[in-house]
């Protein structure tokens, strides 16, 4: 096991956090490359089919993203305790849950796909290509959810380089295979699907190989295997995961309400909002990297029972978030229009997006604190507060969407959107007083690490 942390410095925090930011930033790049590949084919139905397929699987996997987030927290807490059995159980229990969820996803696919296709009202050719895409990717569920667990556990164990290599190599392989299968193999939509599936399988195999390389951290005794199925412990994991699932469902509700309202205002407004959201999502990925670092150190602080480490984690995490906000503000002030022009060359859409460029500048100011503190709550396992915050946020968003858009149109919609993120930040700050890190040792935390 690793030594106790002497004290947390910005350097130590960034050594862990910067690789997280780099690896998460490859995710939107992957989506952009796949969209660009389809965009260079002759039929617009290819783009539409892949876009709808991405929405389906992103929503499904996003819903189960708690497998990575919660596993990171449990793994970091076990590392802080220095308990090898707890470290092992932090991997085995969510792996068991991921296996069960994967089987469930595959079994319900025969009902899920036609229901989704009917809801989206896809045209004949789009539906044909969409089915090709989804029929392949559904078999990736065990590998994707398995990767979530492995990545979460490795992050909690502070094995940064291994997580970086696993994610980046998987996404780069995905891009290469999709390009080769589509342009050299002539597979069309199926080429992108197979490229993605093979990359998911590769990521899972690499993950298992990494676990084999760090097997000294794991225990595989018969006692441990029996403890995996311990009812009370499984219920605790399911409670934490349930809280995070509710949080994700609330996020999906907000995003769907946002899209639905924008769609009612016309195609140009809908497209312009989509452009702005893509840029917002890129910003969010960078803050998510900081949140991952906060999650790891917070979980370790709880495991070690060190209040000082926990306070340092929040202070440094918010400090890094503040610097990130300033960097984005400088970029947006000097070149925000460049980002918009890179996303679209449709004049009408570009003009509307330019009119709402202020949203890009307001978003990081409103959202940064909430996004970073989210990592602290998940790292400490205090997910009920995250759940409560999101339930309040959904209600407020619904009321703003209902009233503000009635009078101010799309401006009211964006005020509601960024205002909801500001509310989330405020609530998570207020809830901090209810978080307890009970010291296990007297005095300040160990300075030997």
């Amino acid at each position: 096991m690793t030594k106790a942390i002497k004290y947390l410095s910005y350097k130590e925090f960034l050594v862990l956090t910067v690789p997280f930011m780099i690896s998460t930033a490859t995710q939107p790049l992957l989506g952009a490359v796949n969209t660009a590949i389809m965009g260079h084919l002759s039929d617009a139905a290819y783009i539409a089919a892949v876009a709808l397929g991405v929405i389906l699987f992103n929503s499904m996997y996003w819903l189960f993203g708690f497998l990575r987030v919660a596993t990171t927290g449990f793994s970091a807490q076990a590392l802080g305790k220095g308990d090898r059995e707890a470290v092992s159980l932090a991997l085995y229990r969510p792996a068991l849950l991921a296996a069960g969820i994967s089987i469930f996803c595959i079994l319900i696919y025969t009902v899920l796909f036609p229901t989704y296709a009917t809801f989206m009202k896809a045209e004949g050719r789009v539906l044909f290509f969409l089915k090709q895409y989804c029929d392949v990717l559904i078999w990736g569920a065990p590998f994707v959810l398995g990767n979530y667990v492995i990545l979460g556990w490795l992050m909690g164990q502070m094995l940064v380089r291994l997580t970086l290599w696993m994610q980046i190599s998987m996404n780069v392989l995905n891009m290469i295979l999709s390009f080769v299968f589509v342009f050299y193999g002539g597979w069309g939509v199926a080429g992108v699907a197979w490229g993605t599936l093979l990359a998911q399988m590769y990521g899972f195999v690499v993950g298992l190989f990494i676990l084999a390389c760090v097997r000294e951290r794991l225990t595989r005794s018969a006692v441990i295997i029996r403890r995996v199925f311990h009812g009370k412990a499984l219920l605790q994991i399911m409670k934490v995961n349930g809280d995070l699932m509710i949080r994700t469902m609330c996020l999906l509700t907000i995003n769907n309400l946002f899209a639905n309202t924008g769609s009612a205002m016309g195609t140009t407004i809908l497209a312009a909002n989509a452009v702005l959201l893509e840029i917002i999502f890129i910003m969010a990925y960078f803050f998510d990297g900081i949140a991952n670092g906060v999650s790891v150190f917070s979980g370790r602080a709880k495991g070690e029972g060190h209040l000082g480490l926990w306070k340092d984690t929040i202070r440094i995490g918010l400090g890094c978030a503040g610097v990130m906000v300033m960097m984005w503000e400088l970029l947006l002030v000097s070149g925000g229009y460049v980002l918009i022009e890179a996303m679209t060359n449709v004049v009408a859409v570009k003009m509307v997006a330019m009119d709402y460029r202020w949203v890009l500048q307001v978003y990081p100011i409103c959202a940064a604190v909430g996004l970073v503190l989210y990592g602290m709550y998940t790292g400490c396992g205090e997910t009920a507060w995250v759940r409560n915050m999101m339930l309040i946020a959904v209600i407020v968003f619904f009321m703003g969407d209902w009233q503000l858009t009635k009078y101010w149109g799309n401006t009211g919609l964006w005020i509601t959107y960024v205002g909801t993120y500001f509310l989330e930040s405020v609530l998570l700050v207020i809830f901090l007083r209810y978080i307890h890190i009970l010291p296990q040792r007297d005095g300040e935390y160990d300075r030997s690490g």
Side-chain angles (χ1 to χ4, degrees):
M1 306 303 290
T2 59
K3 294 181 180 179
I5 293 177
K6 163 185 172 181
Y7 61 89
L8 187 60
S9 66
Y10 276 93
K11 180 179 178 181
E12 289 170 312
F13 183 82
L14 290 173
V15 165
L16 182 77
T17 302
V18 170
F20 287 160
M21 287 192 283
I22 295 172
S23 61
T24 55
T26 62
Q27 213 48 48
L29 178 62
L30 171 62
V33 169
N34 282 344
T35 300
I37 289 173
M38 291 294 97
H40 283 81
L41 297 181
S42 57
D43 195 334
Y46 289 118
I47 304 175
V50 170
L52 291 178
V54 167
I55 290 172
L56 173 62
F57 285 103
N58 278 357
S59 298
M60 184 171 73
Y61 293 141
W62 199 15
L63 193 62
F64 301 122
F66 58 75
L67 286 168
R68 182 191 64 77
V69 177
T71 301
T72 298
F74 285 121
S75 177
Q77 290 176 41
L79 179 66
K81 293 175 183 175
D83 185 340
R84 190 178 175 191
E85 289 191 357
V87 167
S88 303
L89 292 170
L91 173 67
Y92 299 153
R93 282 176 178 147
L96 177 66
L97 186 59
I101 293 173
S102 301
I103 294 171
F104 174 75
C105 289
I106 293 172
L107 290 177
I108 67 166
Y109 174 70
T110 53
V111 176
L112 178 64
F113 178 80
T115 302
Y116 177 73
T118 301
F119 177 75
M120 287 298 180
K121 299 181 176 62
E123 297 177 357
R125 283 180 60 76
V126 174
L127 181 60
F128 174 77
F129 293 134
L130 176 63
K131 192 171 190 307
Q132 282 188 340
Y133 184 83
C134 295
D135 284 355
V136 173
L137 276 191
I138 186 59
W139 298 103
F143 308 111
V144 173
L145 299 184
N147 285 338
Y148 282 178
V149 173
I150 294 172
L151 278 170
W153 186 84
L154 291 173
M155 289 167 64
Q157 295 296 299
M158 304 179 74
L159 298 170
V160 184
R161 294 180 181 177
L162 296 178
T163 62
L164 182 65
W165 166 253
M166 181 178 172
Q167 283 191 280
I168 291 181
S169 63
M170 180 173 63
N171 289 334
V172 169
L173 179 65
N174 191 341
M175 296 175 198
I176 294 172
L177 290 178
S178 296
F179 184 87
V180 171
F181 290 160
V182 171
F183 292 114
Y184 291 94
W187 293 8
V189 168
V192 171
W194 275 106
T196 302
L197 177 62
L198 291 175
Q200 291 167 350
M201 295 170 66
Y202 159 84
F204 184 70
V205 171
V206 169
L208 293 179
F209 175 75
I210 291 173
L211 291 179
C213 291
V214 296
R215 58 185 177 275
E216 71 279 356
R217 297 185 181 225
L218 297 168
T219 300
R220 294 180 297 278
S221 66
V223 175
I224 285 292
I225 300 303
R226 287 196 297 270
R227 288 185 62 190
V228 169
F229 297 94
H230 188 269
K232 187 175 180 180
L234 280 175
L235 286 175
Q236 173 62 19
I237 289 178
M238 293 178 69
K239 178 188 178 300
V240 169
N241 290 337
D243 290 336
L244 294 178
M245 179 181 279
I246 292 172
R247 183 248 184 189
T248 303
M249 292 174 67
C250 290
L251 278 175
L252 289 172
T253 299
I254 288 174
N255 287 339
N256 285 325
L257 284 172
F258 183 90
N260 183 64
T261 302
S263 178
M265 295 179 189
T267 302
T268 301
I269 293 289
L270 177 63
N273 286 352
V275 167
L276 295 171
L277 278 177
E278 284 299 324
I279 299 173
I280 283 174
F281 289 156
I282 292 172
M283 286 191 277
Y285 274 107
F286 282 91
F287 287 110
D288 188 53
I290 298 175
N292 286 336
V294 170
S295 177
V296 171
F297 284 112
S298 295
R300 187 163 178 181
K302 178 145 187 194
E304 294 181 8
H306 286 320
L307 183 61
L309 175 57
W310 179 74
K311 289 180 177 179
D312 277 358
T313 299
I314 296 177
R315 174 178 57 82
I316 292 175
L318 292 177
C320 291
V323 173
M324 181 65 67
V325 168
M326 288 188 287
M327 290 173 62
W328 274 110
E329 292 299 325
L330 289 173
L331 175 62
L332 293 167
V333 168
S334 60
Y337 64 93
V338 176
L339 294 175
I340 293 173
E341 288 181 341
M343 298 294 294
T344 180
N345 57 5
V346 179
V347 176
V349 174
K350 190 190 305 182
M351 289 178 63
V352 173
M354 289 292 188
D355 288 340
Y356 288 95
R357 196 173 62 181
W358 60 268
V359 171
L360 301 179
Q361 294 172 288
V362 173
Y363 169 80
I365 297 172
C366 293
V369 172
L371 292 172
V372 170
L373 286 182
Y374 166 70
M376 184 281 298
Y377 283 90
T378 57
C380 292
E382 300 281 354
T383 51
W385 299 109
V386 174
R387 176 201 64 203
N388 296 342
M389 174 272 293
M390 282 307 305
L391 290 173
I392 295 171
V394 165
I395 295 171
V396 171
F397 184 89
F398 178 79
M399 293 173 63
D401 184 36
W402 175 38
Q403 289 296 317
L404 295 184
T405 55
K406 185 187 299 183
Y407 300 103
W408 296 335
N410 198 44
T411 300
L413 178 61
W414 276 114
I415 291 174
T416 300
Y417 186 84
V418 296
T420 300
Y421 274 94
F422 179 72
L423 174 65
E424 292 174 13
S425 295
V426 171
L427 289 175
L428 290 183
V429 170
I430 292 173
F431 293 159
L432 278 176
R433 69 177 65 183
Y434 302 107
I435 305 299
H436 298 288
I437 307 295
L438 299 178
Q440 294 176 347
R441 291 182 287 273
D442 294 330
E444 66 179 339
Y445 52 110
D446 186 6
R447 295 184 175 274
S448 62

